[in-house]
Amino acid sequence: MSDESYKYREIEPKWREYWISNRLHEARDEDPRPKYYCLDMFPYPSGSGLHVGHWRSYVLPDCWSRYKWLQGYKVLHPMGWDAFGSPAENDAIQKGIHPAVGTKRNVENFKRQLHEIGAMYDWSREINTTDPEYYKWTQWIFVKMFKVGLAYKTFMPVNWCPSCKTGIANEDVVNGRCERCGTEVTKKELNQWMLRITRYADRLLNGLEKLDWPEKVKTMQTNWIGRSEGAEVNFTAIAANGAEHPLNIFTTRPDTLFGATYMVMAPEHPLVSELTSNQQAAEVEAYIEKVKGERDVDRAAKAEKTGVFTGASALNPVNNEKIPIWIADYVLMAYGTGAIMAVPAHDERDYEFAKKFGLEIREVISSKEGIEKEAYIGEGTMVNSGRFTGMPSGQGRKAIVIWLEEKGVGRATVNYKLRDWVFSRQRYWGEPIPVVHCSINCGLVPVPEEDLPVRLPEVERYQPTGTGESPLAAVQEWVKTRCPNCGGPAERETDTMPQWAGSSWYFLRYASPHAAAALTTAEGKKWLPVDLYVGGVEHAILHLLYARFFTMFLHDAGVVDFDEPFQSLFNQGM
Ligand SMILES: [Zn+2]
Ligand SMILES: [Zn+2]
């Protein structure tokens, strides 16, 4: 477009200045009109600046906000920065510049670009997750969680990026590689902070029903939570030397218990060495060694079934039948109990395994299809199942669980795929976890709320130490402190939070971004919750799950009076 047809160099700045000087896009608490809160997923301010993909995401809510504005709403349409994270830190490592410096420069660039594009944002409510006045509240939420047992520390084999030298969450592992740098991820045992998101599993699942979200996103969340009803069944493992050990399994199909013809344990199951016979020991050890370096994701996805017989057997409580115990990499220690009953006639993986190793395949659910060619996994009439023979499988499922409970050899249970959230990072550029280790009396003590924020100290080196400790561990004058409880010598926690932390509640802060005494004020609460949330489908699982978890927790803590943050959701790229 030439200057003759549209004098954008004159027209656009003129009206932008008019909007700004008249504060047209600022949301005012005292405005009497009904509110509308339209939110974009805030960006990470990268060094390359705003690209067309950003604006593709932002243009729709920008138009929608103007539309709601014209309809007579007072519209809250804010913007901010999800500014902790590895790129700024990697930059700092390479160039020795404080990550805050690069972040500030990038934010200015993003703002300039958004300004020139004519976007309608209320810049008076801008937030930045790396601002101590902001992360004070991220830390405050953590302290609240710690006090009710939702934050805890434990030794965990975690994914470890040998290049970033930090533990990373399952979610940040993409095809077995570090999401940030692409290096192949290994395992390392570290003392990690965890968030007990599993306590909210049922609410995270049930809450989806009332949301106006794309069905596809709801399905993705549902599958991630992975709730399955079933039974825990108490088998008895009999070692090669005759010693007996209780061995529990979880199954979603207790109606197929009579079809269990062998058991499989994860190779790293702690009982394996005690159960294994002398004859099988060499083969079992070699197999365990082979599997050791493999990752769960790859193991679960393997086409070729492998495994080794242990020489031990297990007693099936429904018919007192002795069945052989195998170990195989398709059973993962992290899911269920780390052991399964194998019902090859009615489970695809067990069927393949049984075919390969010549194990018995016994039909216990009759079907037209039969089990000659493949496992039959549907419903049918129970056969070869003792007193339950002749029952429809759905009914038999309940009847067997009742029988197990009466005999004291099992019970109805619910299982989830969702795991607790690894919340520790051994990095510099993140919110310090606000906890102190009292050396003498008190153990782990949260920093008192009035002493927040715990600010990031200046460091000489941004490199991770590589020993599993963050660069903060090297700043002794910061680490050494006093116990807030007993006044004795104490050390600060040196792990920082993951980048997910600040983005799990930022939508609440826009409502009262400058409040010093509370996360959100009474006036601010009137803007909440978000009416329309717009962002990329790549955030359909984790960001939304974490944001919902934080909101539910803050609801329970009395901070907000709703437990779902985003009433409506629109995803680009669906
Ligand atoms: Zn990495
Ligand atoms: Zn103490």
Side-chain angles (χ1 to χ4, degrees), residues 161 164 178 181:
C161 173
C164 297
C178 171
C181 73

Side-chain angles (χ1 to χ4, degrees), residues 438 441-442 483 485-486:
C438 173
N441 302 311
C442 318
C483 171
N485 219 5
C486 70

Side-chain angles (χ1 to χ4, degrees), residues 294-465:
E294 296 178 359
R295 293 176 302 269
D296 286 2
V297 276
D298 299 337
R299 278 170 56 173
K302 255 188 209 170
E304 172 86 23
K305 295 277 172 287
T306 62
V308 176
F309 177 49
T310 61
S313 57
L315 216 52
N316 185 342
V318 294
N319 54 10
N320 283 323
E321 192 178 349
K322 261 188 175 181
I323 55 177
I325 300 178
W326 287 62
I327 57 170
D329 61 359
Y330 77 97
V331 175
L332 302 175
M333 203 57 218
Y335 293 96
T337 63
I340 63 156
M341 67 167 190
V343 183
H346 305 291
D347 180 280
E348 287 159 336
R349 293 179 315 168
D350 298 345
Y351 190 88
E352 272 178 59
F353 192 87
K355 279 282 181 198
K356 176 163 177 183
F357 293 102
L359 295 156
E360 186 192 346
I361 300 175
R362 186 191 304 160
E363 184 175 43
V364 291
I365 308 288
S366 70
S367 62
K368 274 207 306 286
E369 294 85 346
I371 55 160
E372 288 310 308
K373 293 209 177 65
E374 56 182 358
Y376 173 72
I377 58 173
E379 304 288 339
T381 302
M382 293 170 71
V383 293
N384 300 322
S385 294
R387 67 185 72 73
F388 303 98
T389 295
M391 271 190 195
S393 49
Q395 188 188 330
R397 203 136 58 224
K398 295 191 184 82
I400 284 200
V401 172
I402 291 168
W403 184 89
L404 290 169
E405 287 178 342
E406 279 170 6
K407 300 282 174 192
V409 289
R411 62 194 176 93
T413 57
V414 175
N415 215 29
Y416 297 91
K417 279 201 198 117
L418 184 69
R419 303 281 118 186
D420 280 346
W421 176 6
V422 179
F423 206 66
S424 278
R425 297 292 181 277
Q426 292 73 43
R427 304 293 305 238
Y428 173 74
W429 193 227
E431 302 88 344
I433 289 178
V435 171
V436 153
H437 303 242
C438 173
S439 323
I440 299 171
N441 302 311
C442 318
L444 296 171
V445 182
V447 173
E449 290 170 22
E450 60 273 20
D451 293 345
L452 299 176
V454 176
R455 286 167 191 266
L456 270 174
E458 298 299 320
V459 294
E460 279 169 27
R461 290 158 42 88
Y462 300 99
Q463 275 89 345
T465 60

Side-chain angles (χ1 to χ4, degrees), residues 10 26 65 120 177 188 260 269 283 287-288 293 375 394 465 516 522:
E10 293 162 30
E26 288 182 23
S65 295
M120 165 186 168
R177 291 175 181 277
K188 187 169 172 133
H269 196 292
E283 213 183 325
Y287 187 75
I288 292 171
T465 60

Side-chain angles (χ1 to χ4, degrees), residues 76-93:
L76 173 56
H77 185 46
M79 183 46 81
W81 317 104
D82 188 15
F84 276 126
S86 311
E89 178 158 342
N90 293 340
D91 229 35
I93 290 170

